[in-house]
Amino acid sequence: MDPNKPKTTAKDFFLHVAAMVLLYASVGSLVTLLFNCINYAFPDALENSYFYYDPYTASMRFALAVLIILFPVFLALTYYINRELRRTPEKRDLAIRKWLLFLTVFAAAAVLIGDMVALVNVFLNGEITTRFILKVLTVLVVGAFVLLYYGYDLKGKYLESPRMGHLFGILAALAVLASVVTGFLIIGSPQTARMVRFDETKVQHLTDMQWRIVNYWQQKQKLPPTLAELNDSISGYLVQTDPQTGANYEYRVLTPLSFELCATFNKESNARKVSLM
């Protein structure tokens, strides 16, 4: 055993493992956020037909939360590790550091190759769309950036030229900042998100009441005159009220075979008119 070979301390182990975990979480969240931004800009009619509201905002909110909290920590931790390496260059040869760097470079290269395979496969199937191309480019750019940065790191470029490392950090920060701002422009403020959640709950209530009204008609061959007729003391069901205002939902019998349920929404919603004909 080489007595001059640097030994991995507990501090070194957890610093490098934490940096890689933060990297993978940040990259995954960034790609998720960008994919959802692309989905929002180029919606799929079949995909959106199952949702009353934007189906992408929930995953976007989680990706934003991860990036806002974890990415700055990743930058700070990477800066600290690079500063320590400049102070003690022999730590460049730590086994844990080299294993993690090689693993990251390998993973980035594998993702890029898989990305290109997917692109060629879809092209040969004649299914190229703008949305798909943009997603491929997203993976290509993010993967190439990670591969380039950690490839240089393995070569010790940042010890020779700290400015290069700072440049990569600034570019990454600007890219993430632009993505986060775009995400907020799409999902709106926390107050807007709360209004949407109210609307989604109202839609759930109306859907449930619709099913119960149809079931009432199937059993009695007539529509209930009021929503109060749906209350069931045996099952314990009580007709829901508007969770935002506490007001009753509007219900009108239009014909012997059709009815209308109404609620006041905060955002535009598809009105649903149900007919038993």
Side-chain angles (χ1 to χ4, degrees):
M1 181 180 293
D2 185 357
N4 297 320
K5 186 177 181 180
K7 295 182 179 179
T8 302
T9 65
K11 175 184 176 182
D12 295 325
F13 177 85
F14 285 108
L15 280 177
H16 286 87
V17 170
M20 290 300 104
V21 170
L22 292 172
L23 169 68
Y24 299 150
S26 297
V27 169
S29 297
L30 177 61
V31 171
T32 298
L33 177 59
L34 293 175
F35 274 19
N36 281 298
C37 289
I38 293 169
N39 290 337
Y40 183 86
F42 301 92
D44 186 329
L46 291 176
E47 188 177 79
N48 292 337
S49 64
Y50 296 99
F51 297 90
Y52 289 90
Y53 297 99
D54 188 352
Y56 313 118
T57 53
S59 57
M60 288 179 72
R61 283 194 291 268
F62 183 77
L64 284 169
V66 172
L67 287 173
I68 291 171
I69 299 301
L70 297 189
F71 185 70
V73 178
F74 165 72
L75 287 181
L77 188 58
T78 301
Y79 175 80
Y80 176 79
I81 290 173
N82 287 339
R83 188 182 65 178
E84 290 296 303
L85 290 176
R86 285 192 290 271
R87 289 178 177 177
T88 54
E90 62 273 13
K91 286 193 173 184
R92 282 183 52 197
D93 297 323
L94 287 174
I96 184 65
R97 177 176 180 273
K98 286 197 169 184
W99 271 98
L100 290 174
L101 289 181
F102 275 114
L103 175 63
T104 301
V105 170
F106 172 79
V111 168
L112 291 179
I113 294 172
D115 193 43
M116 291 299 98
V117 169
L119 176 61
V120 172
N121 179 62
V122 172
F123 174 76
L124 293 176
N125 287 331
E127 300 174 2
I128 291 292
T129 63
T130 301
R131 187 157 92 157
F132 176 77
I133 291 295
L134 290 175
K135 289 183 178 181
V136 168
L137 290 176
T138 296
V139 175
L140 181 64
V141 171
V142 174
F145 190 90
V146 173
L147 179 62
L148 190 62
Y149 177 84
Y150 286 99
Y152 281 148
D153 198 5
L154 278 171
K155 297 177 181 179
K157 295 290 186 180
Y158 308 128
L159 295 181
E160 302 170 3
S161 177
R163 288 185 178 180
M164 182 182 291
H166 296 160
L167 177 61
F168 270 100
I170 292 172
L171 291 176
L174 290 176
V176 170
L177 178 61
S179 301
V180 168
V181 170
T182 302
F184 273 114
L185 290 176
I186 292 174
I187 69 173
S189 66
Q191 182 64 22
T192 300
R194 182 170 177 81
M195 294 299 101
V196 170
R197 288 176 59 197
F198 272 128
D199 285 356
E200 290 174 342
T201 301
K202 294 174 188 180
V203 170
Q204 291 173 1
H205 286 176
L206 294 182
T207 302
D208 180 56
M209 285 188 285
Q210 170 194 315
W211 176 84
R212 292 180 183 276
I213 292 170
V214 172
N215 186 60
Y216 183 99
W217 180 87
Q218 290 174 337
Q219 293 181 355
K220 301 185 179 183
Q221 296 300 303
K222 66 176 183 178
L223 293 172
T226 65
L227 289 178
E229 294 293 321
L230 301 178
N231 292 330
D232 189 342
S233 58
I234 297 177
S235 65
Y237 174 78
L238 294 175
V239 174
Q240 301 100 325
T241 58
D242 188 314
Q244 188 174 2
T245 65
N248 293 323
Y249 292 111
E250 294 182 24
Y251 166 70
R252 289 187 293 272
V253 177
L254 302 178
T255 71
L257 294 176
S258 64
F259 62 90
E260 191 173 66
L261 281 170
C262 300
T264 301
F265 292 92
N266 299 294
K267 295 184 66 179
E268 290 188 6
S269 175
N270 293 327
R272 304 191 69 192
K273 184 175 179 180
V274 180
S275 174
L276 300 180
M277 295 181 65

